[in-house]
Amino acid sequence: MMLADCPRLRRLATLVLLTLSQSSLARAQAAPSQAPEELRQQAKASYDQGVVAYNAGRFLEAVELFLAADRTLPSAALSFNVARAYEQLKMTALALRFYRDYLRREAGPANANTEAATLRIAALERVLIESGVQQLTVLSVPAGASLTIDGKALGATPWTGELTPGPHQLALASTGYEETLRQFELPAAHALELRVPLGPRSGAPAAPQPSSTTSPPTRPLAVPPASEPARAKGFGPWPFVALGAGGAALLVAGGFELSRRSAESDAETPGLPQIAYRDRLDAVHSRATTARAFAAVGGVLSVTGGVLVFLDPARRGSQRQSAALACAPSSCFGSFSLRY
């Protein structure tokens, strides 16, 4: 289930992020009093525990641990790991948010992870298109400005969320800066990032810019292969049941045909009494009718089963099938082949 399709999951994910950010205040404030080596060890411990939780399938726990490591000592790689965990949880919007955050923070040259993140962003944007929304990120310079979009207060920048595509208006307000208004168009096809510089108010000193912190030597989780498309629901065992029944009917038809020929040969015996000849002739006609009936049923079932197997959406692309039916005036024979 996609996050955009389920308001309850969206609220739960938002609550998780708010809880994580609130619970980290004490640790973040205490960090400057710790030595850099202690910070690196603390971040590494959270990262290692996050990897263990991820590999064990405890993805929400992995998210919390990766975010804890990132708050202790920021690293772009941790955003990549958070995105992977959210994608495993089918939380499309949050996965997209952190893949985009990873690319925004990753200052190094392009590598396998930046290429993987770019591909996943495109795929997740398409999922949001199907749900009728698209993702927007608003960054103010400096950060921490109060954001309002279309008259609705949304919190402080940086902010990321989902809106319906189309025209919108944002307003940014921050102490010591002029209020900034901007019109923008959110495209349906891809996420949008707006970076808005704030102009200082006349006579007011600008707020100091936060200093950067050296990132810990963390590395992203290995990127799993692209997920396989959902398998279409097939016809189940019924195509093969039809093929089996058709084959059995054709065998029975062949048996009756052999019996008919035997009775016909007996009826042609020289010197056979008239009554016995009449009985054998009736048997010939009866067995011929029965053979034709079984041949017709077997042919229909074989063709139906072969067509269903060939059209089965759960098997197409992974195997090759062929079916054939041939009928002579006195009998029908069918064949079916299946190659993986």
Side-chain angles (χ1 to χ4, degrees):
M1 179 181 295
M2 296 184 301
L3 182 64
D5 294 337
C6 183
R8 183 174 298 176
L9 282 179
R10 185 194 296 272
R11 291 194 295 269
L12 174 61
T14 303
L15 179 60
V16 169
L17 288 177
L18 290 175
T19 303
L20 292 176
S21 60
Q22 292 170 357
S23 64
S24 67
L25 290 177
R27 290 191 292 272
Q29 292 169 355
S33 64
Q34 300 177 358
E37 181 61 27
E38 293 176 316
L39 286 178
R40 283 193 289 271
Q41 292 300 323
Q42 182 179 341
K44 184 178 184 302
S46 296
Y47 168 77
D48 291 341
Q49 293 172 26
V51 172
V52 172
Y54 183 96
N55 292 334
R58 304 191 304 271
F59 299 116
L60 274 179
E61 181 183 344
V63 166
E64 181 177 358
L65 289 165
F66 290 143
L67 290 176
D70 196 40
R71 288 189 297 268
T72 302
L73 214 53
S75 171
L78 292 166
S79 288
F80 185 96
N81 295 346
V82 170
R84 288 298 309 137
Y86 273 132
E87 192 168 11
Q88 296 297 326
L89 290 166
K90 309 301 181 185
M91 293 183 172
T92 302
L94 286 171
L96 176 59
R97 167 184 173 177
F98 280 94
Y99 277 128
R100 295 175 62 227
D101 186 63
Y102 167 68
L103 290 185
R104 187 183 307 117
R105 298 171 65 187
E106 180 57 63
N111 53 56
N113 290 304
T114 57
E115 293 173 2
T118 301
L119 292 175
R120 297 310 305 147
I121 286 172
L124 294 171
E125 286 174 338
R126 288 193 293 270
V127 175
L128 289 188
I129 292 173
E130 295 174 358
S131 62
V133 297
Q134 195 50 265
Q135 193 166 93
L136 169 71
T137 297
V138 179
L139 306 170
S140 66
V141 183
S146 298
L147 173 66
T148 301
I149 295 182
D150 299 333
K152 181 179 179 181
L154 297 175
T157 57
W159 178 88
T160 297
E162 289 68 55
L163 299 174
T164 56
H168 298 276
Q169 182 184 60
L170 67 79
L172 290 169
S174 182
T175 303
Y177 293 87
E178 296 287 350
E179 182 178 12
T180 301
L181 300 177
R182 175 172 293 190
Q183 305 281 344
F184 67 94
E185 181 91 11
L186 178 62
H190 58 83
L192 177 66
E193 179 176 301
L194 295 176
R195 188 178 297 270
V196 185
L198 303 179
R201 187 176 301 164
S202 300
Q209 294 294 323
S211 58
S212 60
T213 307
T214 304
S215 299
T218 58
R219 60 183 178 84
L221 296 173
V223 183
S227 56
E228 296 181 359
R231 291 179 64 88
K233 186 176 180 181
F235 298 135
W238 297 112
F240 298 101
V241 171
L243 283 171
L250 290 174
L251 289 176
V252 172
F256 273 100
E257 175 63 15
L258 293 176
S259 177
R260 180 196 67 79
R261 293 181 180 180
S262 176
E264 188 177 42
S265 177
D266 291 342
E268 294 174 354
T269 302
L272 188 69
Q274 185 66 27
I275 295 178
Y277 175 81
R278 184 64 184 177
D279 290 340
R280 284 170 172 74
L281 190 60
D282 289 341
V284 167
H285 291 311
S286 174
R287 292 169 188 177
T289 301
T290 304
R292 284 193 292 269
F294 273 103
V297 172
V300 170
L301 289 175
S302 297
V303 171
T304 301
V307 170
L308 290 178
V309 171
F310 181 79
L311 297 178
D312 193 348
R315 298 180 176 87
R316 293 186 68 180
S318 62
Q319 48 191 340
R320 300 178 182 177
Q321 308 92 2
S322 62
L325 178 69
C327 290
S330 58
S331 61
C332 290
F333 299 92
S335 67
F336 174 77
S337 66
L338 177 64
R339 290 187 295 170
Y340 289 85

